[in-house]
Amino acid sequence: MSILIKNIDCLVTCEGSHRKKGKEMNDANIIENGFVFIENDIISAVGKDEEYKSYIDEDTIIISGKGKTVTPGLVDPHTHLVYSGSRENELPLKLNKVGYIEILNMGGGILSTVENTRKASLDELVAEAKSRLNIMLNHGTTTVESKSGYGLDLETEKKILEVNKRLDKTHPIDVVSTFMGAHAIPKEYKGDREGFIKLIIEEMIPGIAKESLAEFIDCFCEEGVFTTEECRKILEKGREYGMKLKLHGDEVESVKGAELAGELKCISAEHLIAASDEGIKALSENDVVAVLLPSTAFYLMLGKFARARDMIDNNVAVALATDCNPGTSPTESMQNVMTFACFGMRMLPNEIINAMTINAACAINREKSVGSIEKGKKADIAIFNSKNLNYLVYHFGINSIDKVIKNGKIVVDRE
Ligand code: NIG
Ligand code: FE
C-alpha cells in the first residue's frame, strides 16, 4: 500500500535525528511545493515539485497538499494520561488565590485524583484514557509519554502502567511509559515521608522493573513535595533498575531541580518555570532536554512562563508538551500549547514545531523512529488546514487538523 501527499504548500520536515539547540531550533527544514511518499508504514521518499511522478502506481492513494502545512506527527513527551475523574471543583479555590501546593496539602489536588484512580477498575481507566487519546489524535498527536503517579501504592501504580501498555497495543497512538511514584505523599503516609520513600525504593521500583512496566522514572521535585535529595535517591535507584531518568523540576519554586537533572544527566527536565541561571547552564552543559509546559504555567496563573528564550540562547534543546492532567493542564491539544509557547514564551513557529516533533522525540528516546519527515522514519504525519507554518500558530483556538496519518494509515480525516 502506498500514499502520496503532493504539492504541499508548506512541508515541514524537521529533518534530523538529534536534539536541535540554539539557532538550529529556528530551522524547521521547510520545503515549498514538496511531496511525501509513504510505502506501508514507512516514509520512503521526500522531495519537491514533480519528482514524485516516478514513485506512484495505479493503487497509490493521492492526497493534495494545496493550501496545507504538513508536519511530522506531533510528539507529546509529558502527560499524566491515566487517571479517573476531574477537578473543576478546584476552580473557585484557585480564583480565590488558594495556591496549588496549599490545595494539595489540604488533601485535594493530586490526592483527590489518587482516591478516584484507586477506586477505578483497569477497564474504566482504559476507557477514560482512551477518550483522551482520541482527542489527542484528532489534534495531530501520534506519540505520547504517559506517567503513572495517581496510584501511590504498588498495586495502583502497576494498574496505571498496565493501562499504558494496553493502550499502546490497541490505540493508534504510541504510548511510552514513565513510573512516577514520587508524585505526592499519599494520605496513609502523612507524617512518614521516609516510609513512603522506602516503599518506592524497596518495593515499587523493583516490582515495576521486574514486569518491565516503565522505560523512564520521574519525580516531582518541588518545595513542599519531594526534596532534591529525596529525588536524587529515588532516581538513582531507578537507574540501577534500568530506567532512564526524567525530573519534574522547579515548577513553582526554584529548588535546584534543573541543577539536579544536569548532575544526574537526566534525559529531560520538565516544567522549569522557576529554573535558575545555573540550572539553565547545567541543562545546556549536560545535554538535558528542557520539556516546557506553557499551558500549565498559564493554568496555574503564576503570571510567568519558563524562560524559553534564555534556554534557547544558552543552547538548551527545548521540547514542548501538554502535561495533560486533571489539575494543572486539562487539555489534550498540542495546538493549544503552540499558542502559549508563542504568546507566553515568545517562541518562533519554527522553534515550536521542532520542539513538538524532533526535540520531543529526543526527550523520550524515540528520535531514530519518529519526530521528522525523512526517508526510513515511521509514516506518522499531521496535515493542517494552514497555508504556512506561521498561519498555523497565528490562527489560534481552533483545531486546524485536516488529516492524520499514523503508521502509514489515514486515521483522522476531517475534510
Ligand atoms: O505536572 N506537577 C505535578 N504533576 C502535575 C499535576 C498533577 C495534578 O495536579 O493532578 C503537573 O503539573
Ligand atoms: Fe507534569
PDB file of all heavy atoms in Angstrom, residues 78-80 83 87 90 100-101 104 109-111 113 147 149-150 180 183 220-222 225 248 251-252 271 293 296 300 323-329, ligand 1:
ATOM      1  N   HIS A  78       5.198  14.644  27.620  1.00  0.00           N
ATOM      2  CA  HIS A  78       4.940  14.769  29.064  1.00  0.00           C
ATOM      3  C   HIS A  78       3.434  14.842  29.285  1.00  0.00           C
ATOM      4  O   HIS A  78       2.816  15.876  29.028  1.00  0.00           O
ATOM      5  CB  HIS A  78       5.625  16.038  29.602  1.00  0.00           C
ATOM      6  CG  HIS A  78       5.403  16.312  31.063  1.00  0.00           C
ATOM      7  ND1 HIS A  78       6.387  16.829  31.879  1.00  0.00           N
ATOM      8  CD2 HIS A  78       4.317  16.187  31.854  1.00  0.00           C
ATOM      9  CE1 HIS A  78       5.907  16.993  33.099  1.00  0.00           C
ATOM     10  NE2 HIS A  78       4.646  16.616  33.109  1.00  0.00           N
ATOM     11  N   THR A  79       2.848  13.722  29.712  1.00  0.00           N
ATOM     12  CA  THR A  79       1.422  13.740  30.071  1.00  0.00           C
ATOM     13  C   THR A  79       1.204  12.885  31.323  1.00  0.00           C
ATOM     14  O   THR A  79       2.026  12.035  31.675  1.00  0.00           O
ATOM     15  CB  THR A  79       0.496  13.175  28.955  1.00  0.00           C
ATOM     16  OG1 THR A  79       0.504  11.738  29.025  1.00  0.00           O
ATOM     17  CG2 THR A  79       0.915  13.620  27.558  1.00  0.00           C
ATOM     18  N   HIS A  80       0.068  13.150  31.957  1.00  0.00           N
ATOM     19  CA  HIS A  80      -0.408  12.304  33.058  1.00  0.00           C
ATOM     20  C   HIS A  80      -1.755  11.764  32.566  1.00  0.00           C
ATOM     21  O   HIS A  80      -2.821  12.159  33.038  1.00  0.00           O
ATOM     22  CB  HIS A  80      -0.585  13.126  34.330  1.00  0.00           C
ATOM     23  CG  HIS A  80       0.651  13.868  34.753  1.00  0.00           C
ATOM     24  ND1 HIS A  80       1.459  13.437  35.769  1.00  0.00           N
ATOM     25  CD2 HIS A  80       1.223  15.005  34.275  1.00  0.00           C
ATOM     26  CE1 HIS A  80       2.479  14.294  35.918  1.00  0.00           C
ATOM     27  NE2 HIS A  80       2.358  15.257  35.017  1.00  0.00           N
ATOM     28  N   TYR A  83      -5.891   8.597  34.608  1.00  0.00           N
ATOM     29  CA  TYR A  83      -6.461   8.976  35.908  1.00  0.00           C
ATOM     30  C   TYR A  83      -7.969   8.877  35.802  1.00  0.00           C
ATOM     31  O   TYR A  83      -8.511   8.788  34.696  1.00  0.00           O
ATOM     32  CB  TYR A  83      -6.043  10.399  36.310  1.00  0.00           C
ATOM     33  CG  TYR A  83      -6.490  11.466  35.338  1.00  0.00           C
ATOM     34  CD1 TYR A  83      -7.766  12.036  35.430  1.00  0.00           C
ATOM     35  CD2 TYR A  83      -5.648  11.894  34.311  1.00  0.00           C
ATOM     36  CE1 TYR A  83      -8.182  13.010  34.531  1.00  0.00           C
ATOM     37  CE2 TYR A  83      -6.062  12.859  33.408  1.00  0.00           C
ATOM     38  CZ  TYR A  83      -7.325  13.417  33.518  1.00  0.00           C
ATOM     39  OH  TYR A  83      -7.736  14.383  32.625  1.00  0.00           O
ATOM     40  N   ARG A  87     -11.354  17.757  38.148  1.00  0.00           N
ATOM     41  CA  ARG A  87     -11.208  18.602  39.345  1.00  0.00           C
ATOM     42  C   ARG A  87     -11.695  20.033  39.136  1.00  0.00           C
ATOM     43  O   ARG A  87     -11.115  20.976  39.650  1.00  0.00           O
ATOM     44  CB  ARG A  87      -9.717  18.608  39.768  1.00  0.00           C
ATOM     45  CG  ARG A  87      -9.120  17.221  40.019  1.00  0.00           C
ATOM     46  CD  ARG A  87      -8.301  17.173  41.265  1.00  0.00           C
ATOM     47  NE  ARG A  87      -7.148  18.039  41.219  1.00  0.00           N
ATOM     48  CZ  ARG A  87      -5.948  17.702  40.739  1.00  0.00           C
ATOM     49  NH1 ARG A  87      -5.728  16.477  40.275  1.00  0.00           N
ATOM     50  NH2 ARG A  87      -4.954  18.560  40.739  1.00  0.00           N
ATOM     51  N   GLU A  90     -11.992  22.627  41.950  1.00  0.00           N
ATOM     52  CA  GLU A  90     -10.888  23.448  42.490  1.00  0.00           C
ATOM     53  C   GLU A  90     -10.854  24.848  41.892  1.00  0.00           C
ATOM     54  O   GLU A  90     -10.141  25.724  42.396  1.00  0.00           O
ATOM     55  CB  GLU A  90      -9.536  22.763  42.213  1.00  0.00           C
ATOM     56  CG  GLU A  90      -9.310  21.545  43.076  1.00  0.00           C
ATOM     57  CD  GLU A  90      -8.070  20.756  42.664  1.00  0.00           C
ATOM     58  OE1 GLU A  90      -7.254  21.276  41.878  1.00  0.00           O
ATOM     59  OE2 GLU A  90      -7.935  19.621  43.123  1.00  0.00           O
ATOM     60  N   TYR A 100      -1.595  26.134  44.560  1.00  0.00           N
ATOM     61  CA  TYR A 100      -1.625  24.748  44.099  1.00  0.00           C
ATOM     62  C   TYR A 100      -1.139  23.786  45.187  1.00  0.00           C
ATOM     63  O   TYR A 100      -1.782  22.772  45.485  1.00  0.00           O
ATOM     64  CB  TYR A 100      -0.764  24.635  42.828  1.00  0.00           C
ATOM     65  CG  TYR A 100      -0.628  23.235  42.310  1.00  0.00           C
ATOM     66  CD1 TYR A 100      -1.718  22.572  41.766  1.00  0.00           C
ATOM     67  CD2 TYR A 100       0.591  22.568  42.371  1.00  0.00           C
ATOM     68  CE1 TYR A 100      -1.592  21.280  41.294  1.00  0.00           C
ATOM     69  CE2 TYR A 100       0.723  21.280  41.905  1.00  0.00           C
ATOM     70  CZ  TYR A 100      -0.366  20.633  41.366  1.00  0.00           C
ATOM     71  OH  TYR A 100      -0.239  19.354  40.904  1.00  0.00           O
ATOM     72  N   ILE A 101       0.000  24.121  45.807  1.00  0.00           N
ATOM     73  CA  ILE A 101       0.567  23.230  46.833  1.00  0.00           C
ATOM     74  C   ILE A 101      -0.303  23.275  48.103  1.00  0.00           C
ATOM     75  O   ILE A 101      -0.449  22.277  48.810  1.00  0.00           O
ATOM     76  CB  ILE A 101       2.046  23.621  47.141  1.00  0.00           C
ATOM     77  CG1 ILE A 101       2.905  23.558  45.864  1.00  0.00           C
ATOM     78  CG2 ILE A 101       2.656  22.761  48.244  1.00  0.00           C
ATOM     79  CD1 ILE A 101       3.142  22.180  45.268  1.00  0.00           C
ATOM     80  N   LEU A 104      -3.102  20.890  47.607  1.00  0.00           N
ATOM     81  CA  LEU A 104      -2.567  19.531  47.770  1.00  0.00           C
ATOM     82  C   LEU A 104      -2.433  19.203  49.254  1.00  0.00           C
ATOM     83  O   LEU A 104      -2.838  18.132  49.711  1.00  0.00           O
ATOM     84  CB  LEU A 104      -1.204  19.432  47.054  1.00  0.00           C
ATOM     85  CG  LEU A 104      -0.429  18.124  47.197  1.00  0.00           C
ATOM     86  CD1 LEU A 104      -1.206  16.959  46.585  1.00  0.00           C
ATOM     87  CD2 LEU A 104       0.938  18.219  46.520  1.00  0.00           C
ATOM     88  N   GLY A 109      -6.263  18.371  45.257  1.00  0.00           N
ATOM     89  CA  GLY A 109      -5.266  18.278  44.187  1.00  0.00           C
ATOM     90  C   GLY A 109      -4.981  16.846  43.795  1.00  0.00           C
ATOM     91  O   GLY A 109      -5.888  16.019  43.664  1.00  0.00           O
ATOM     92  N   ILE A 110      -3.703  16.549  43.643  1.00  0.00           N
ATOM     93  CA  ILE A 110      -3.281  15.208  43.209  1.00  0.00           C
ATOM     94  C   ILE A 110      -3.943  14.132  44.079  1.00  0.00           C
ATOM     95  O   ILE A 110      -4.399  13.104  43.577  1.00  0.00           O
ATOM     96  CB  ILE A 110      -1.734  15.084  43.288  1.00  0.00           C
ATOM     97  CG1 ILE A 110      -1.065  16.048  42.293  1.00  0.00           C
ATOM     98  CG2 ILE A 110      -1.280  13.648  43.043  1.00  0.00           C
ATOM     99  CD1 ILE A 110       0.456  16.115  42.399  1.00  0.00           C
ATOM    100  N   LEU A 111      -4.036  14.397  45.403  1.00  0.00           N
ATOM    101  CA  LEU A 111      -4.542  13.352  46.306  1.00  0.00           C
ATOM    102  C   LEU A 111      -6.007  13.013  46.044  1.00  0.00           C
ATOM    103  O   LEU A 111      -6.422  11.868  46.218  1.00  0.00           O
ATOM    104  CB  LEU A 111      -4.327  13.764  47.765  1.00  0.00           C
ATOM    105  CG  LEU A 111      -2.855  13.832  48.179  1.00  0.00           C
ATOM    106  CD1 LEU A 111      -2.716  14.284  49.629  1.00  0.00           C
ATOM    107  CD2 LEU A 111      -2.146  12.489  47.980  1.00  0.00           C
ATOM    108  N   THR A 113      -7.385  13.059  43.078  1.00  0.00           N
ATOM    109  CA  THR A 113      -7.362  12.210  41.868  1.00  0.00           C
ATOM    110  C   THR A 113      -6.855  10.807  42.221  1.00  0.00           C
ATOM    111  O   THR A 113      -7.308   9.810  41.648  1.00  0.00           O
ATOM    112  CB  THR A 113      -6.497  12.866  40.769  1.00  0.00           C
ATOM    113  OG1 THR A 113      -7.025  14.164  40.493  1.00  0.00           O
ATOM    114  CG2 THR A 113      -6.510  12.056  39.483  1.00  0.00           C
ATOM    115  N   LYS A 147       2.767   9.241  32.282  1.00  0.00           N
ATOM    116  CA  LYS A 147       3.371   8.989  33.597  1.00  0.00           C
ATOM    117  C   LYS A 147       2.341   8.377  34.538  1.00  0.00           C
ATOM    118  O   LYS A 147       1.189   8.809  34.547  1.00  0.00           O
ATOM    119  CB  LYS A 147       3.829  10.317  34.218  1.00  0.00           C
ATOM    120  CG  LYS A 147       4.830  11.085  33.362  1.00  0.00           C
ATOM    121  CD  LYS A 147       5.172  12.432  33.999  1.00  0.00           C
ATOM    122  CE  LYS A 147       5.848  13.372  33.025  1.00  0.00           C
ATOM    123  NZ  LYS A 147       7.189  12.971  32.594  1.00  0.00           N
ATOM    124  N   GLY A 149       1.436   7.819  38.713  1.00  0.00           N
ATOM    125  CA  GLY A 149       1.575   8.801  39.790  1.00  0.00           C
ATOM    126  C   GLY A 149       0.257   9.171  40.449  1.00  0.00           C
ATOM    127  O   GLY A 149       0.229  10.001  41.367  1.00  0.00           O
ATOM    128  N   TYR A 150      -0.847   8.565  39.977  1.00  0.00           N
ATOM    129  CA  TYR A 150      -2.118   8.764  40.681  1.00  0.00           C
ATOM    130  C   TYR A 150      -2.527   7.478  41.407  1.00  0.00           C
ATOM    131  O   TYR A 150      -3.697   7.248  41.668  1.00  0.00           O
ATOM    132  CB  TYR A 150      -3.217   9.203  39.705  1.00  0.00           C
ATOM    133  CG  TYR A 150      -3.026  10.596  39.149  1.00  0.00           C
ATOM    134  CD1 TYR A 150      -2.839  10.817  37.785  1.00  0.00           C
ATOM    135  CD2 TYR A 150      -3.024  11.707  40.001  1.00  0.00           C
ATOM    136  CE1 TYR A 150      -2.676  12.095  37.280  1.00  0.00           C
ATOM    137  CE2 TYR A 150      -2.853  12.988  39.505  1.00  0.00           C
ATOM    138  CZ  TYR A 150      -2.680  13.177  38.155  1.00  0.00           C
ATOM    139  OH  TYR A 150      -2.517  14.451  37.658  1.00  0.00           O
ATOM    140  N   MET A 180       6.090   7.270  37.948  1.00  0.00           N
ATOM    141  CA  MET A 180       6.254   8.475  38.759  1.00  0.00           C
ATOM    142  C   MET A 180       5.559   8.298  40.115  1.00  0.00           C
ATOM    143  O   MET A 180       4.613   9.029  40.450  1.00  0.00           O
ATOM    144  CB  MET A 180       5.697   9.693  38.008  1.00  0.00           C
ATOM    145  CG  MET A 180       6.112  11.002  38.656  1.00  0.00           C
ATOM    146  SD  MET A 180       5.601  12.424  37.673  1.00  0.00           S
ATOM    147  CE  MET A 180       6.038  13.744  38.792  1.00  0.00           C
ATOM    148  N   HIS A 183       5.107  11.362  43.211  1.00  0.00           N
ATOM    149  CA  HIS A 183       4.276  12.454  42.676  1.00  0.00           C
ATOM    150  C   HIS A 183       3.684  13.257  43.832  1.00  0.00           C
ATOM    151  O   HIS A 183       3.459  14.455  43.733  1.00  0.00           O
ATOM    152  CB  HIS A 183       3.175  11.831  41.803  1.00  0.00           C
ATOM    153  CG  HIS A 183       2.463  12.798  40.904  1.00  0.00           C
ATOM    154  ND1 HIS A 183       1.258  12.521  40.334  1.00  0.00           N
ATOM    155  CD2 HIS A 183       2.780  14.047  40.483  1.00  0.00           C
ATOM    156  CE1 HIS A 183       0.861  13.547  39.580  1.00  0.00           C
ATOM    157  NE2 HIS A 183       1.771  14.482  39.670  1.00  0.00           N
ATOM    158  N   PHE A 220       8.606  14.363  41.341  1.00  0.00           N
ATOM    159  CA  PHE A 220       8.132  15.746  41.462  1.00  0.00           C
ATOM    160  C   PHE A 220       9.017  16.471  42.475  1.00  0.00           C
ATOM    161  O   PHE A 220       8.823  16.361  43.687  1.00  0.00           O
ATOM    162  CB  PHE A 220       6.661  15.733  41.906  1.00  0.00           C
ATOM    163  CG  PHE A 220       5.957  17.065  41.820  1.00  0.00           C
ATOM    164  CD1 PHE A 220       6.533  18.171  41.215  1.00  0.00           C
ATOM    165  CD2 PHE A 220       4.668  17.201  42.346  1.00  0.00           C
ATOM    166  CE1 PHE A 220       5.855  19.393  41.133  1.00  0.00           C
ATOM    167  CE2 PHE A 220       3.978  18.402  42.266  1.00  0.00           C
ATOM    168  CZ  PHE A 220       4.575  19.502  41.666  1.00  0.00           C
ATOM    169  N   CYS A 221      10.015  17.172  41.969  1.00  0.00           N
ATOM    170  CA  CYS A 221      10.996  17.873  42.819  1.00  0.00           C
ATOM    171  C   CYS A 221      10.502  19.300  43.012  1.00  0.00           C
ATOM    172  O   CYS A 221      10.596  20.119  42.099  1.00  0.00           O
ATOM    173  CB  CYS A 221      12.345  17.857  42.079  1.00  0.00           C
ATOM    174  SG  CYS A 221      13.693  18.518  43.027  1.00  0.00           S
ATOM    175  N   GLU A 222       9.928  19.584  44.179  1.00  0.00           N
ATOM    176  CA  GLU A 222       9.267  20.875  44.355  1.00  0.00           C
ATOM    177  C   GLU A 222       9.179  21.198  45.839  1.00  0.00           C
ATOM    178  O   GLU A 222       9.034  20.289  46.656  1.00  0.00           O
ATOM    179  CB  GLU A 222       7.848  20.774  43.740  1.00  0.00           C
ATOM    180  CG  GLU A 222       7.041  22.048  43.734  1.00  0.00           C
ATOM    181  CD  GLU A 222       7.635  23.134  42.833  1.00  0.00           C
ATOM    182  OE1 GLU A 222       7.933  22.849  41.654  1.00  0.00           O
ATOM    183  OE2 GLU A 222       7.811  24.267  43.305  1.00  0.00           O
ATOM    184  N   VAL A 225       6.906  19.227  48.217  1.00  0.00           N
ATOM    185  CA  VAL A 225       6.579  17.888  47.692  1.00  0.00           C
ATOM    186  C   VAL A 225       7.798  16.985  47.975  1.00  0.00           C
ATOM    187  O   VAL A 225       7.987  16.566  49.111  1.00  0.00           O
ATOM    188  CB  VAL A 225       6.176  17.919  46.198  1.00  0.00           C
ATOM    189  CG1 VAL A 225       5.516  16.591  45.801  1.00  0.00           C
ATOM    190  CG2 VAL A 225       5.173  19.062  45.924  1.00  0.00           C
ATOM    191  N   HIS A 248      10.520  16.236  37.111  1.00  0.00           N
ATOM    192  CA  HIS A 248       9.638  17.409  37.210  1.00  0.00           C
ATOM    193  C   HIS A 248      10.376  18.373  38.130  1.00  0.00           C
ATOM    194  O   HIS A 248      10.496  18.110  39.328  1.00  0.00           O
ATOM    195  CB  HIS A 248       8.358  17.024  37.952  1.00  0.00           C
ATOM    196  CG  HIS A 248       7.207  16.619  37.117  1.00  0.00           C
ATOM    197  ND1 HIS A 248       7.221  15.520  36.329  1.00  0.00           N
ATOM    198  CD2 HIS A 248       5.976  17.198  36.962  1.00  0.00           C
ATOM    199  CE1 HIS A 248       6.025  15.421  35.732  1.00  0.00           C
ATOM    200  NE2 HIS A 248       5.273  16.428  36.098  1.00  0.00           N
ATOM    201  N   GLU A 251       8.903  23.693  39.147  1.00  0.00           N
ATOM    202  CA  GLU A 251       7.628  24.069  38.510  1.00  0.00           C
ATOM    203  C   GLU A 251       7.088  25.368  39.108  1.00  0.00           C
ATOM    204  O   GLU A 251       6.673  26.264  38.383  1.00  0.00           O
ATOM    205  CB  GLU A 251       6.610  22.939  38.672  1.00  0.00           C
ATOM    206  CG  GLU A 251       5.234  23.269  38.099  1.00  0.00           C
ATOM    207  CD  GLU A 251       4.263  22.087  38.103  1.00  0.00           C
ATOM    208  OE1 GLU A 251       4.699  20.952  38.403  1.00  0.00           O
ATOM    209  OE2 GLU A 251       3.075  22.298  37.814  1.00  0.00           O
ATOM    210  N   VAL A 252       7.097  25.454  40.436  1.00  0.00           N
ATOM    211  CA  VAL A 252       6.544  26.648  41.086  1.00  0.00           C
ATOM    212  C   VAL A 252       7.663  27.459  41.745  1.00  0.00           C
ATOM    213  O   VAL A 252       7.759  28.665  41.558  1.00  0.00           O
ATOM    214  CB  VAL A 252       5.460  26.255  42.125  1.00  0.00           C
ATOM    215  CG1 VAL A 252       4.774  27.499  42.676  1.00  0.00           C
ATOM    216  CG2 VAL A 252       4.401  25.331  41.491  1.00  0.00           C
ATOM    217  N   HIS A 271       8.976  21.180  33.120  1.00  0.00           N
ATOM    218  CA  HIS A 271       8.367  22.368  33.758  1.00  0.00           C
ATOM    219  C   HIS A 271       9.344  23.537  33.754  1.00  0.00           C
ATOM    220  O   HIS A 271       9.270  24.399  32.919  1.00  0.00           O
ATOM    221  CB  HIS A 271       7.857  22.100  35.181  1.00  0.00           C
ATOM    222  CG  HIS A 271       6.605  21.305  35.215  1.00  0.00           C
ATOM    223  ND1 HIS A 271       5.395  21.839  34.853  1.00  0.00           N
ATOM    224  CD2 HIS A 271       6.370  20.018  35.545  1.00  0.00           C
ATOM    225  CE1 HIS A 271       4.464  20.909  34.962  1.00  0.00           C
ATOM    226  NE2 HIS A 271       5.026  19.796  35.365  1.00  0.00           N
ATOM    227  N   LEU A 293       6.098  23.371  29.494  1.00  0.00           N
ATOM    228  CA  LEU A 293       4.662  23.077  29.532  1.00  0.00           C
ATOM    229  C   LEU A 293       3.890  24.374  29.731  1.00  0.00           C
ATOM    230  O   LEU A 293       3.338  24.629  30.803  1.00  0.00           O
ATOM    231  CB  LEU A 293       4.417  22.092  30.687  1.00  0.00           C
ATOM    232  CG  LEU A 293       5.373  20.885  30.656  1.00  0.00           C
ATOM    233  CD1 LEU A 293       5.659  20.351  32.035  1.00  0.00           C
ATOM    234  CD2 LEU A 293       4.841  19.803  29.763  1.00  0.00           C
ATOM    235  N   THR A 296       0.421  24.724  31.319  1.00  0.00           N
ATOM    236  CA  THR A 296       0.387  24.573  32.782  1.00  0.00           C
ATOM    237  C   THR A 296       0.702  25.909  33.453  1.00  0.00           C
ATOM    238  O   THR A 296       0.031  26.299  34.418  1.00  0.00           O
ATOM    239  CB  THR A 296       1.412  23.506  33.222  1.00  0.00           C
ATOM    240  OG1 THR A 296       1.164  22.323  32.485  1.00  0.00           O
ATOM    241  CG2 THR A 296       1.339  23.238  34.710  1.00  0.00           C
ATOM    242  N   LEU A 300      -1.899  27.661  35.927  1.00  0.00           N
ATOM    243  CA  LEU A 300      -1.565  27.888  37.344  1.00  0.00           C
ATOM    244  C   LEU A 300      -1.661  29.381  37.693  1.00  0.00           C
ATOM    245  O   LEU A 300      -1.562  29.748  38.857  1.00  0.00           O
ATOM    246  CB  LEU A 300      -0.153  27.379  37.649  1.00  0.00           C
ATOM    247  CG  LEU A 300       0.038  25.869  37.802  1.00  0.00           C
ATOM    248  CD1 LEU A 300       1.524  25.510  37.804  1.00  0.00           C
ATOM    249  CD2 LEU A 300      -0.622  25.355  39.087  1.00  0.00           C
ATOM    250  N   ASP A 323       1.370  18.277  29.224  1.00  0.00           N
ATOM    251  CA  ASP A 323       1.223  17.990  30.654  1.00  0.00           C
ATOM    252  C   ASP A 323      -0.200  17.523  30.959  1.00  0.00           C
ATOM    253  O   ASP A 323      -0.633  17.601  32.112  1.00  0.00           O
ATOM    254  CB  ASP A 323       1.564  19.229  31.498  1.00  0.00           C
ATOM    255  CG  ASP A 323       1.837  18.899  32.964  1.00  0.00           C
ATOM    256  OD1 ASP A 323       2.110  17.737  33.261  1.00  0.00           O
ATOM    257  OD2 ASP A 323       1.765  19.823  33.809  1.00  0.00           O
ATOM    258  N   CYS A 324      -0.937  17.088  29.946  1.00  0.00           N
ATOM    259  CA  CYS A 324      -2.344  16.706  30.114  1.00  0.00           C
ATOM    260  C   CYS A 324      -2.594  16.035  31.479  1.00  0.00           C
ATOM    261  O   CYS A 324      -2.075  14.962  31.765  1.00  0.00           O
ATOM    262  CB  CYS A 324      -2.726  15.743  28.974  1.00  0.00           C
ATOM    263  SG  CYS A 324      -4.387  15.103  29.112  1.00  0.00           S
ATOM    264  N   ASN A 325      -3.333  16.694  32.347  1.00  0.00           N
ATOM    265  CA  ASN A 325      -3.638  16.171  33.680  1.00  0.00           C
ATOM    266  C   ASN A 325      -4.861  16.910  34.223  1.00  0.00           C
ATOM    267  O   ASN A 325      -5.209  17.975  33.709  1.00  0.00           O
ATOM    268  CB  ASN A 325      -2.416  16.317  34.613  1.00  0.00           C
ATOM    269  CG  ASN A 325      -2.217  17.742  35.100  1.00  0.00           C
ATOM    270  OD1 ASN A 325      -2.987  18.250  35.917  1.00  0.00           O
ATOM    271  ND2 ASN A 325      -1.196  18.424  34.593  1.00  0.00           N
ATOM    272  N   PRO A 326      -5.516  16.349  35.269  1.00  0.00           N
ATOM    273  CA  PRO A 326      -6.781  16.947  35.702  1.00  0.00           C
ATOM    274  C   PRO A 326      -6.638  18.194  36.578  1.00  0.00           C
ATOM    275  O   PRO A 326      -7.634  18.854  36.883  1.00  0.00           O
ATOM    276  CB  PRO A 326      -7.429  15.824  36.519  1.00  0.00           C
ATOM    277  CG  PRO A 326      -6.260  15.063  37.049  1.00  0.00           C
ATOM    278  CD  PRO A 326      -5.211  15.113  35.991  1.00  0.00           C
ATOM    279  N   GLY A 327      -5.402  18.534  36.978  1.00  0.00           N
ATOM    280  CA  GLY A 327      -5.244  19.651  37.907  1.00  0.00           C
ATOM    281  C   GLY A 327      -4.688  20.915  37.284  1.00  0.00           C
ATOM    282  O   GLY A 327      -5.248  22.002  37.437  1.00  0.00           O
ATOM    283  N   THR A 328      -3.572  20.761  36.568  1.00  0.00           N
ATOM    284  CA  THR A 328      -2.871  21.972  36.129  1.00  0.00           C
ATOM    285  C   THR A 328      -2.867  22.154  34.615  1.00  0.00           C
ATOM    286  O   THR A 328      -2.370  23.174  34.133  1.00  0.00           O
ATOM    287  CB  THR A 328      -1.397  21.951  36.606  1.00  0.00           C
ATOM    288  OG1 THR A 328      -0.736  20.845  35.973  1.00  0.00           O
ATOM    289  CG2 THR A 328      -1.282  21.825  38.107  1.00  0.00           C
ATOM    290  N   SER A 329      -3.406  21.189  33.877  1.00  0.00           N
ATOM    291  CA  SER A 329      -3.440  21.355  32.423  1.00  0.00           C
ATOM    292  C   SER A 329      -4.451  20.391  31.793  1.00  0.00           C
ATOM    293  O   SER A 329      -4.077  19.439  31.114  1.00  0.00           O
ATOM    294  CB  SER A 329      -2.039  21.128  31.829  1.00  0.00           C
ATOM    295  OG  SER A 329      -2.057  21.449  30.457  1.00  0.00           O
TER     296      SER A 329
HETATM  297  O1  NIG B   1       2.750  18.263  36.010  1.00  0.00           O
HETATM  298  N1  NIG B   1       3.455  18.618  38.903  1.00  0.00           N
HETATM  299  C1  NIG B   1       2.917  17.589  39.176  1.00  0.00           C
HETATM  300  N2  NIG B   1       2.042  16.940  38.448  1.00  0.00           N
HETATM  301  C2  NIG B   1       1.170  17.537  37.502  1.00  0.00           C
HETATM  302  C3  NIG B   1      -0.101  17.979  38.120  1.00  0.00           C
HETATM  303  C4  NIG B   1      -0.876  16.888  38.654  1.00  0.00           C
HETATM  304  C5  NIG B   1      -2.190  17.280  39.221  1.00  0.00           C
HETATM  305  O2  NIG B   1      -2.382  18.413  39.704  1.00  0.00           O
HETATM  306  O3  NIG B   1      -3.040  16.392  39.217  1.00  0.00           O
HETATM  307  C6  NIG B   1       1.881  18.642  36.766  1.00  0.00           C
HETATM  308  O4  NIG B   1       1.590  19.835  36.918  1.00  0.00           O
END
